Amino acid sequence: MRAVQVHEPGVATVLQYEEVATPVPGCGEVLIRLRAAGVNHRDIWVRQGAFGGFPSPRILGSDGAGEIEAVGDGVVGIQVGQRVVLNPGLACGSCRFCLAGQQPSCAKFKIFDGTYAEYAVVPQSNVVPMPSGLTFAEAASVGVPFITAEDFLQKAEVQPGMTLLLWAANGALGLATLQLAKRRGLRVVAVVRSGFKQVDRLRQFGADEIIRWDAGDDVVTEVMNLTQQQGVDITVDSLGQASFEQSLGATRRGGVVVSVGSTTGGLVSFELGQLFRRRQSIIGAYLGSSAILPRILPLFARGELVPVIDHTFPLEQADQAHEHLETSSIFGKVILEL
Ligand SMILES: [Zn+2]
């Protein structure tokens, strides 16, 4: 089969579109013929070597949708030809966390890599029927951003009427968070780069306030002016280094800061007193329960949630797709089509 692999960490051009062996489904596994793959920032971190070395070439990609091509022994309830969406969290399935539906706390938890390919093998438990009314590209856009956002909003115990500060609101995770937060009755203060043009579209998705920002700008003062000098209840920070200290400063006493990425760098420093004297909590977010995807996919089919696709590239242009995600002022998800 054809696949996009990375042999050594580096910039987007290290991605290689090449022939590799087609995987064979083992006991309890299914072979998916992929039609679309979602591009996540995680793929860029894997490409850069942030998740460890490269013992062998790695196929990238955690989100995907396609059709069942073959099933292994012991697989029941799934037919060849059925349209499915990949549920990207892999866990042991038998520890106390897995049994409680908290797969990301499982010691064996990891996120699947391998959807930048014509075929992928996953356990039967990692596919979800694809609702009719969605295209493969739309179905492949949901996974990582919506599972992650739904999970941290649950964990942060958000309530209607709370105010949420959202960095990088125009990205796939940002738009997932915005839509899910508005469904819960939150007021959302969206932060975008000063050059971002599609402010009207952010408002259509429910952003109540929009702050334009460049590195070095004081966002805290603007947030305080929007919240009667109280600060927001919850801040969602996917930027890391460029924003994290301001995230703590913009959040109220007793509020929550969700750390869900580090697209500007992972090393941060802040005065600890800012955290403990103000009784704040920091939550780390990394995907979420495997029960989330089957629950939210039907909401897309009913139009209650909207898949937002910024741009689609053919699989062989995965390097251009990465460069687009890294350098452009995107709105939504970047997709690879097969
Ligand atoms: Zn487990």
Side-chain angles (χ1 to χ4, degrees):
M1 67 170 182
R2 303 299 283 179
V4 172
Q5 294 201 112
V6 54
H7 294 255
E8 55 186 32
V11 298
T13 49
V14 302
L15 298 181
Q16 300 203 2
Y17 179 66
E18 56 197 358
E19 190 68 25
V20 302
T22 302
V24 177
C27 187
E29 294 179 328
V30 297
L31 177 69
I32 308 172
R33 181 183 174 84
L34 290 156
R35 300 294 186 180
V39 179
N40 292 298
H41 272 286
R42 171 190 156 75
D43 308 343
I44 291 170
W45 296 325
V46 173
R47 190 201 75 209
Q48 292 171 336
F51 294 127
F54 287 82
S56 58
R58 290 172 76 164
I59 302 175
L60 298 184
S62 307
D63 281 327
E67 294 148 323
I68 298 291
E69 179 82 7
V71 301
D73 290 341
V75 172
V76 289
I78 292 185
Q79 279 75 46
V80 170
Q82 189 175 344
R83 295 179 168 204
V84 293
V85 185
L86 199 146
N87 205 349
L90 301 171
C92 82
S94 56
C95 72
R96 65 191 168 105
F97 297 108
C98 287
L99 294 176
Q102 298 162 3
Q103 290 84 5
S105 296
C106 172
K108 298 205 167 119
F109 179 78
K110 62 177 185 175
I111 297 180
F112 178 79
D113 288 307
T115 58
Y116 290 13
E118 287 181 282
Y119 297 95
V121 162
V122 294
Q124 174 182 3
S125 55
N126 280 83
V127 294
V128 179
M130 181 174 141
S132 57
L134 288 180
T135 65
F136 286 117
E138 289 171 340
S141 76
V142 175
V144 169
F146 277 89
I147 296 169
T148 305
E150 177 69 13
D151 197 71
F152 67 62
L153 289 173
Q154 285 175 20
K155 211 167 164 186
E157 298 179 337
V158 298
Q159 304 292 331
M162 284 184 168
T163 300
L164 180 147
L165 176 65
L166 179 59
W167 294 92
N170 53 300
L173 178 79
L175 287 166
T177 306
L178 175 58
Q179 291 192 60
L180 293 170
K182 293 310 294 181
R183 277 176 67 83
R184 286 173 155 83
L186 273 68
R187 176 187 180 217
V188 176
V189 179
V191 186
V192 291
R193 295 279 184 177
S194 63
F196 180 74
K197 301 261 190 322
Q198 305 184 61
V199 168
D200 289 347
R201 290 185 75 192
L202 265 184
R203 290 204 190 279
Q204 283 165 19
F205 279 93
D208 298 278
E209 312 284 351
I210 292 171
I211 296 175
R212 290 166 168 279
W213 166 86
D214 269 318
D217 287 355
D218 175 13
V219 170
V220 175
T221 301
E222 287 200 56
V223 170
M224 288 299 160
N225 290 339
L226 291 169
T227 57
Q228 287 84 46
Q229 306 305 315
Q230 300 299 301
V232 297
D233 300 285
I234 171 173
T235 295
V236 178
D237 190 322
S238 59
L239 301 182
Q241 204 167 60
S243 57
F244 200 77
E245 193 175 4
Q246 293 210 60
S247 291
L248 291 168
T251 304
R252 67 163 166 82
R253 283 183 68 83
V256 176
V257 176
V258 177
S259 169
V260 64
S262 54
T263 56
T264 63
L267 280 178
V268 301
S269 70
F270 55 88
E271 164 55 41
L272 274 172
Q274 194 178 347
L275 181 74
F276 66 76
R277 279 196 298 272
R278 299 174 67 221
R279 299 177 54 85
Q280 293 178 324
S281 304
I282 298 174
I283 290 179
Y286 191 65
L287 205 65
S289 162
S290 63
I292 292 175
L293 189 62
R295 202 173 67 231
I296 61 173
L297 271 175
L299 300 178
F300 287 88
R302 294 205 297 268
E304 294 176 38
L305 291 170
V306 179
V308 187
I309 294 175
D310 173 84
H311 204 86
T312 301
F313 294 84
L315 178 64
E316 55 268 37
Q317 291 174 10
D319 53 344
Q320 291 175 42
H322 275 211
E323 283 172 0
H324 182 70
L325 184 58
E326 287 175 290
T327 60
S328 297
S329 183
I330 58 164
F331 193 86
K333 189 86 173 174
V334 176
I335 295 286
L336 299 172
E337 274 189 325
L338 290 96

